[in-house]
Every structure is written in structure tokens, then in C-alpha cells.
Amino acid sequence: MRSCSRFATPAKWLKYSLSVACLSTGLLLTQAASATTVQFQTVLGDFEVNLFDKTTPKTVANFLAYVNANAYQNTIIHRSASKFVVQGGGYKYTGELPLVAIPQNAAVENEPVYSNLRGTIAMAKLSSGVNSATNQWFFNLSDNASNLDKQNGGFTAFGQVMGNGMDVVDAIAALNRFNVDIFQGFPLRNYSSSDHTANKPVTGDHLMLIENIVVLNADTDTAASLNPTKNTLINEKEKDDGGSGSMGLISLLMLSLLALGRKRLLNRK
């Protein structure tokens, strides 16, 4: 892995073509679902996720389009929020910095069928658009139903982590986090607060890499026994109480990305 510039000049190792993305909105009832099985191969270990092919078909097809195109190979977890979510799918590491934004396909229609409970994977989207999810996804670290099942038309949970897979996700969530340029809660491995204060160079070895996401079994009946919890909160009115209610979480859920369209960050000195 090669060295990169210091956090003191983060713009030198970030480039992207972005739109502002956020997370927003879950629980009760169950319904059997079938699932394609995919494996997340990470630097902290591998884990499997079953996708809800038959009940969130458009979202699963969207996700698998990126998987089958190897778009998620050598990507990073770019956001971690304690007891809330870890998020990825937006940026690729090409062996040297700056990071590269993953090209986005057309946005997918929202399918808020299931609840955003711990262990589910869901799509991130724009705060201004219900049907705005593209390539970014997140894992729910806690039961986020009361927030994410209602916000912005509800967030589409389209799969769930299997077996002991959440041990790996929790290990990712336990990494030290830093605010770096457009990123807030940026997780780094083997990098301390004192390293950050001393402007120690960050290398690719510090990034929380998703080495690849691969399909283990494309049969949509690989997990017919799954019983994900239905989203029954989707029709409840969102509460706006000036910051403590679900709508107040919108600012927390924002990715803190600048709306620069296809522009690149300047290489400031």
C-alpha cells in the first residue's frame, strides 16, 4: 500500500463525483422471504448476507448490478456512527490515494417492505428524494426502526447478515473514527487520535477495505426460511420536534458530502 498525504490536507487524497446522500427511517410482523447469498470479503474478515430477492426485487437487482460489475471491489467503509450504522458502497481505493467515487447507475425505486433492525443492510439515499438510492448501502448496528422506517419514505432494508457475520460488522464499527474533509465518522485501522493530532500519514493499510462482494449462490430460494420483520411504521407521520424526533435526525444521517456534482476537489497545498 502506498502512502498518502496527511489529514492536514485531506483534499489531496479525495476525489469524487457525488450527489449529497443521506440515510433516513422500523418494525413488527414477519413474512418469509427467499434470498440470493452474497459474501462481503473484508480486511477484518468475511461474512454472508442473504438478499430479499422476491420482496425487494428492484433494490436487490440494483445492488447485484454493482456486484456483478465488480463495482464494489476494493471499496471502503467511509462512514461509521456508533450504535447506528456503518456505510459503504460509494468510494473505491485503486492502490493509491485519492479515493475514486464509484460511478452511479440510475436511481432505484424505494421498496420499504422490511424494518431497519440490527443486522439488516439497507440503501442510503438523498434527503430530498424517496426514490434516490443508487450505489451506497449501510448496515444497521442497532434497531433503527423508529427512525429509518419512517424517514424520507422509509429506507429499503433488502437483506440481512447471517450467522456470526455481525461480529465482523461490529469490529468495523469499533474502529477509531475521524472527521476528514467531506467525511464524518471516517473509520481507520491502526490509526489513533494521537496519530491524527500528529498528522501521521494515512496509507491504504489504514482504510477499512471491502476487498470484494461476491455471489455465493444466485438461487433466489437459498434462504426460504428467513423471516424478516415487516415495516409497519411507514405510514406514521414523521415527527419534527426541532432536533430530537425522527426528522431531527436528518442532519445526523447526512453523509456531509459537498454538492459538487462531477467536480474534483482541488489539490490544496
Side-chain angles (χ1 to χ4, degrees):
M1 301 288 185
R2 302 181 186 178
S3 297
C4 69
S5 59
R6 301 170 182 267
F7 272 176
T9 56
K12 293 185 68 176
W13 59 279
L14 289 171
K15 67 178 177 180
Y16 59 91
S17 55
L18 307 165
S19 33
V20 180
C22 79
L23 304 174
S24 15
T25 345
L27 245 172
L28 303 170
L29 281 189
T30 60
Q31 175 178 325
S34 301
T36 292
T37 305
V38 296
Q39 183 181 60
F40 281 67
Q41 300 172 347
T42 88
V43 291
L44 293 187
D46 302 341
F47 61 94
E48 296 179 11
V49 175
N50 275 324
L51 307 179
F52 306 145
D53 303 71
K54 294 186 176 180
T55 42
T56 57
K58 296 177 182 178
T59 305
V60 170
N62 173 73
F63 178 77
L64 290 177
Y66 289 103
V67 170
N68 292 330
N70 293 319
Y72 293 136
Q73 189 172 24
N74 293 323
T75 55
I76 65 163
I77 297 296
H78 65 267
R79 179 170 182 257
S80 176
S82 180
K83 299 181 180 179
F84 183 41
V85 301
V86 293
Q87 184 167 337
Y91 304 92
K92 182 181 290 284
Y93 176 64
T94 61
E96 62 182 2
L97 298 167
L99 300 172
V100 177
I102 298 173
Q104 297 176 348
N105 297 333
V108 64
E109 182 179 341
N110 201 40
E111 297 174 303
V113 176
Y114 295 118
S115 188
N116 284 267
L117 302 184
R118 172 175 163 81
T120 56
I121 183 174
M123 295 303 297
K125 55 183 176 177
L126 303 178
S127 61
S128 58
V130 172
N131 301 310
S132 60
T134 54
N135 55 353
Q136 294 193 29
W137 39 260
F138 61 92
F139 287 103
N140 284 293
L141 299 176
S142 301
D143 292 351
N144 295 318
S146 61
N147 302 324
L148 303 186
D149 285 6
K150 296 185 291 184
Q151 281 192 37
N152 197 12
F155 282 77
T156 299
F158 64 98
Q160 68 183 54
V161 178
M162 303 304 293
N164 297 322
M166 283 303 291
D167 290 347
V168 178
V169 179
D170 288 337
I172 295 172
L175 294 174
N176 291 330
R177 303 181 298 274
F178 304 91
N179 294 337
V180 183
D181 204 75
I182 61 170
F183 300 123
Q184 293 188 12
F186 193 85
L188 290 173
R189 299 179 294 130
N190 302 313
Y191 197 90
S192 67
S193 295
S194 58
D195 291 333
H196 179 44
T197 301
N199 289 326
K200 179 180 177 179
V202 175
T203 72
D205 289 332
H206 296 124
L207 301 176
M208 180 52 235
L209 287 174
I210 305 293
E211 296 171 326
N212 209 357
I213 303 175
V214 298
V215 175
L216 294 183
N217 192 331
D219 185 347
T220 58
D221 291 321
T222 56
S225 62
L226 288 181
N227 291 297
T229 300
K230 287 288 293 291
N231 178 355
T232 61
L233 304 180
I234 186 63
N235 293 321
E236 290 188 8
K237 185 177 180 180
E238 295 175 279
K239 181 181 179 182
D240 186 357
D241 57 6
S244 60
S246 61
M247 286 301 291
L249 281 172
I250 289 290
S251 59
L252 171 63
L253 299 174
M254 293 296 292
L255 292 177
S256 300
L257 304 183
L258 302 178
L260 297 181
R262 296 184 178 276
K263 296 181 181 179
R264 296 174 56 180
L265 274 165
L266 298 175
N267 287 330
R268 306 186 188 93
K269 297 292 185 180

